[in-house]
Amino acid sequence: MSKGTYYVTTPIYYPSSKLHIGHTYTTVAADAIARYKRVTGYDVMFLTGTDEHGQKIQNVAKEKGLHPKEFLDGVVSEIQNLWETMEISYDKFIRTTDDYHERRVSELFKILYDKGDIYKGEYEGLYCTPCESFWTESQLKDGKCPDCGRAVQSTKEEAYFFKLSKYQDRLLELFESNPDILEPKSRINEMVNNFIKPGLEDLCVSRSTFDWGIPVPIDEKHVIYVWLDALSNYITALGYPEEKDGDFAKYWPADVHLVGKEIVRFHTIIWFAILMALDVPVPKKVFGHGWILLEGGKMSKSVGNIVDPVVLIERYGVDALKYFLLREYTFGQDGLFTNEVLLNRINADLANDLGNLVSRSISMVEKYRGGVVPAAKTATDFDEDLKNIATSASNLVDKRLDNLDFSNALEEIWKVIRRTNKYIDETMPWALAKDEANAGVLDSVLYNLIESIRIISVLIQPFLIHTSRSIWNQINVNEGDATAWDTSVEFGIYQPGTIVKKGEALFPRIDIKVELEA
Ligand code: ME8
């Protein structure tokens, strides 16, 4: 029975070039939450996609001598391949060049215009092309774009405006009455004090100096501002405004928009105001996560200091990258990427803690019981603690994930892994095996180890599905009853008499010194 619906989104990325691990970070987080909600009984809609209009894309395509669509099709299929390799379980991939999206955005523009919330005026101001954002003089930092630090251009043109200023009071009231709407909470202060309270100006929502965009329906000399086009994806993907009864009625309002902190302003001020103007409820939450930084600053396509996820995956595997991203960084905060932190995490948590546990436990069943998992017979002094820690973990993971605290959710699971390793040290199966009188105790130890590994494999599935499957293969359980999320609160589900078989190492240990010099 479904517990209800859950709608999670990532930003739609600019396919101006290949994606880097910053984009992968948001997508991996969205995937983990989507998988977690599915295994815990929700009807999930997980949306991701690409933001394909605007001057930047037009310029890049031109440099390559291609029509924008031709250029985009190539990059977008690379992005989709990356998500496939990473087993990203999105339910829908939206491209802003999809016909249905273009038609629906055009319709939205018309609705807002007919309502009087979009009007024609003259735009005079400053524009940052790489960020596709308009700025006022006072918002600039040292005369440069406050988001990316690059030069802005002054522009003057006839344009359409959205009456953002009209929604100032309602936005303030929303943040005051619903502090859960934006996480981490510190970002609320930033939005309220830096942007809303100083006064919101109406927003220019059309451009006429380039034509790679959705035409303004009432005035084809203009194209719709890329952020109005892009933000609308979250509802056009569900059918709005053409079909309000299907997915839109089912999934909207979104449970969470996951975004990087630099676009919180677009998602909470501009997007909320547009929704208010449309009389559509605002999403339940926007989470603005931190940046992955390289020494020297934020990783960014246009700055050029990128880490290619494809290279990392080829070297260390999909699950190692996913684990690293979710465990290493606190979701709301910035964190530094270095090869050394990555490799240390892989070795310590994956190769040593998890990989060794699985491989030595299965080896012992093979060595002492011919690969057949015995039934537990004689309890040891350490069983109760192991069972308690293993069966209470899912509850703790639930609590952590309710706050999108991926890092500590994984830490709760790793406590079970470390406890199980300690159980091996405490019970010393190799010593028990020396004396036939201890056969009953050894049976219990071996059973408890495999059962604990089963619980661990169930708990890691939202994060590391590939590893879960590999463990299920080795301990010979079919995906289904013994792998369902709820089975992690019960110790004793694994069927004695099952034959296990050691497979390839889950995470080969990396020689860090050699690797860093390579
Ligand atoms: O902003 N660290 O697209 P974009 C963490 N098209 N996350 C990072 C990151 C980093 N160093 N770099 C990128 C756009 N990201 C718009 C969005 S949505 C309606 C339109 C992630 O290709 C993070 O999620 O520049 C960030 O917000 C997003 O990629 C920006 O992607």
Side-chain angles (χ1 to χ4, degrees), residues 148-212:
C148 72
R150 279 168 290 199
V152 291
Q153 287 81 43
S154 60
T155 53
K156 182 174 177 180
E157 61 187 58
E158 188 185 81
Y160 290 83
F161 287 84
F162 169 64
K163 279 191 186 162
L164 186 60
S165 56
K166 178 176 157 188
Y167 294 94
Q168 169 150 345
D169 293 342
R170 276 183 68 186
L171 286 166
L172 270 182
E173 198 193 320
L174 175 70
F175 283 115
E176 265 160 32
S177 62
N178 188 352
D180 290 339
I181 204 151
L182 172 57
E183 304 263 2
K185 300 261 185 299
S186 57
R187 308 225 193 276
I188 297 185
N189 278 340
E190 194 187 330
M191 291 305 117
V192 168
N193 297 328
N194 296 6
F195 294 105
I196 307 179
K197 281 197 174 151
L200 293 173
E201 289 177 26
D202 289 350
L203 176 77
C204 179
V205 287
S206 72
R207 301 285 284 145
S208 58
T209 50
F210 63 90
D211 60 5
W212 181 241

Side-chain angles (χ1 to χ4, degrees), residues 11-14 20 22-23 25-26 51 227 230-231 233-234 259-260 262-263 267 289-292 298-299 301:
I12 49 171
Y13 305 115
Y14 293 126
H20 56 69
H23 306 98
Y25 182 50
T26 322
D51 184 358
W227 272 99
L231 290 162
N233 93 89
Y234 301 126
V259 300
E262 80 290 357
I263 55 174
H267 281 80
H289 66 68
W291 285 343
I292 297 183
K298 178 176 176 252
M299 200 175 306
K301 281 177 293 208

Side-chain angles (χ1 to χ4, degrees), residues 12 23 54 63 73 124 174 186 204 212 237 250 270 310 350 360 364 369 378 421 424 430 463 469 481-482 484:
I12 49 171
H23 306 98
E63 275 166 29
D73 286 348
E124 200 172 353
L174 175 70
S186 57
C204 179
W212 181 241
K250 193 168 169 194
I270 299 176
V310 176
L350 297 174
R360 63 186 180 144
M364 288 191 289
R369 293 293 180 264
T378 318
N421 274 319
I424 301 182
W430 52 89
F463 314 94
R469 291 207 179 105
D481 291 346

Side-chain angles (χ1 to χ4, degrees), residues 265-324:
R265 185 174 68 90
F266 292 94
H267 281 80
T268 56
I269 298 180
I270 299 176
W271 181 224
F272 286 2
I274 291 169
L275 290 167
M276 286 171 179
L278 291 168
D279 280 325
V280 166
V282 295
K284 290 181 203 158
K285 191 186 288 298
V286 171
F287 197 111
H289 66 68
W291 285 343
I292 297 183
L293 305 166
L294 292 180
E295 273 151 1
K298 178 176 176 252
M299 200 175 306
S300 120
K301 281 177 293 208
S302 32
V303 178
N305 53 349
I306 69 160
V307 174
D308 186 345
V310 176
V311 174
L312 297 178
I313 289 166
E314 277 169 4
R315 269 187 114 72
Y316 313 116
V318 167
D319 279 10
L321 178 60
K322 284 184 175 176
Y323 177 80
F324 167 75

